[in-house]
Amino acid sequence: MKKVGLVVIAILFLSSAFAQKKTKLNLTNALVVAQLDNPEDRYSLEINLTELLVSRGVKAEPSLNYMKFGEDSQVLGSDSIMNLMKQKGIGTYCLVSVRGYDKRFKKTKRRENLMVALSVGSLFDLYRQDIVSISFEFKFYREGQFVYTDIVKCGNVGDRATVLKRFRKKTGKRILKKWKKR
C-alpha cells in the first residue's frame, strides 16, 4: 500500500513538473505600454520596445498613440480602445516596467487582469544615479487576461544611454528566443 502511495505521489510530481514546462509566447502583435511615471522615460521605453518588436516581425504600436499626454493608462483597457486594437489586428498588450535596480528579481507570481495591471503605478525611473544593474518586467495580456511574464536583467549600466543600449540588446535577443513564434 505504501508503494502505491509513493508511485502516485511520484506521478503527480512528474506531471506537475511537465505541466510547468516553459512555453513560448508566440507573439505576433502587441500594444506596448510602458509603466513609468516620467513621461520622457515612458516615451523612450515604448519607442525602443516597439522598434525592437517591429524589426523582428512583430506587429507593434506604442500606447502613446492612443492616449493624451498625462492621461491615466487605464483608458487603454476601455472597450473602445480594445475594439480599435482588434480592428487593427492587435490582440496582445505588452506591459513593461522597471522591477528594480538589482539582478536578483524573479518573475512575479501575481496573475491579475489587464485593468488591475494598468492601474498599478511605478516606483522606479529608467535610470537612477549610482546603479549598476536594472531589471525590466514584461507582462503580456490577451483579451484582458494574463498570459505570460518575463524579466530582462541588464547589468553594467552607468548612465541613461547605457540602460537603453543594454535594454535593446538583451530584449532583442529575448524576443527571438522566447516570445516570437518561429
Side-chain angles (χ1 to χ4, degrees):
M1 190 67 170
K2 272 187 170 181
K3 288 183 180 180
V4 173
L6 290 173
V7 170
V8 170
I9 290 173
I11 290 172
L12 289 175
F13 177 75
L14 289 174
S15 65
S16 69
F18 286 117
Q20 292 176 1
K21 184 179 177 185
K22 294 180 183 177
T23 60
K24 287 190 180 182
L25 176 62
N26 294 330
L27 188 64
T28 58
N29 60 68
L31 179 69
V32 177
V33 182
Q35 294 186 295
L36 298 168
D37 291 335
N38 183 338
E40 181 182 344
D41 290 348
R42 183 174 183 185
Y43 176 80
S44 295
L45 204 54
E46 280 193 19
I47 296 303
N48 275 287
L49 183 54
T50 301
E51 287 176 355
L52 284 170
L53 290 169
V54 169
S55 71
R56 283 150 178 84
V58 176
K59 182 179 182 177
E61 290 194 37
S63 69
L64 296 171
N65 291 349
Y66 302 98
M67 291 180 11
K68 295 177 184 172
F69 185 75
E71 191 171 23
D72 186 9
S73 61
Q74 280 189 303
V75 72
L76 297 169
S78 69
D79 290 338
S80 59
I81 299 289
M82 291 185 96
N83 287 334
L84 179 62
M85 292 296 103
K86 283 182 185 176
Q87 290 173 359
K88 291 186 170 224
I90 295 177
T92 304
Y93 280 58
C94 172
L95 278 57
V96 58
S97 61
V98 174
R99 182 75 185 265
Y101 305 113
D102 200 342
K103 284 189 164 189
R104 70 175 188 265
F105 291 103
K106 304 283 187 226
K107 294 178 187 177
T108 185
K109 302 275 190 224
R110 294 182 303 173
R111 305 289 190 242
E112 69 268 353
N113 67 25
L114 179 62
M115 289 304 288
V116 173
L118 287 171
S119 69
V120 174
S122 173
L123 298 174
F124 303 105
D125 293 324
L126 191 57
Y127 177 73
R128 187 178 291 170
Q129 195 70 20
D130 299 326
I131 64 167
V132 292
S133 67
I134 186 168
S135 296
F136 295 94
E137 181 174 43
F138 299 85
K139 293 180 183 177
F140 295 90
Y141 294 84
R142 289 192 178 124
E143 297 179 16
Q145 298 303 313
F146 175 86
V147 292
Y148 189 80
T149 186
D150 204 357
I151 295 266
V152 171
K153 302 169 185 178
C154 302
N156 198 22
V157 296
D159 58 19
R160 189 176 186 279
T162 308
V163 169
L164 290 172
K165 179 181 171 184
R166 300 269 190 268
F167 173 83
R168 288 184 67 87
K169 182 179 179 182
K170 293 259 187 164
T171 305
K173 289 178 182 177
R174 187 65 53 99
I175 292 167
L176 294 175
K177 187 177 179 182
K178 288 190 173 184
W179 300 354
K180 189 170 182 293
K181 180 169 60 172
R182 292 188 183 203

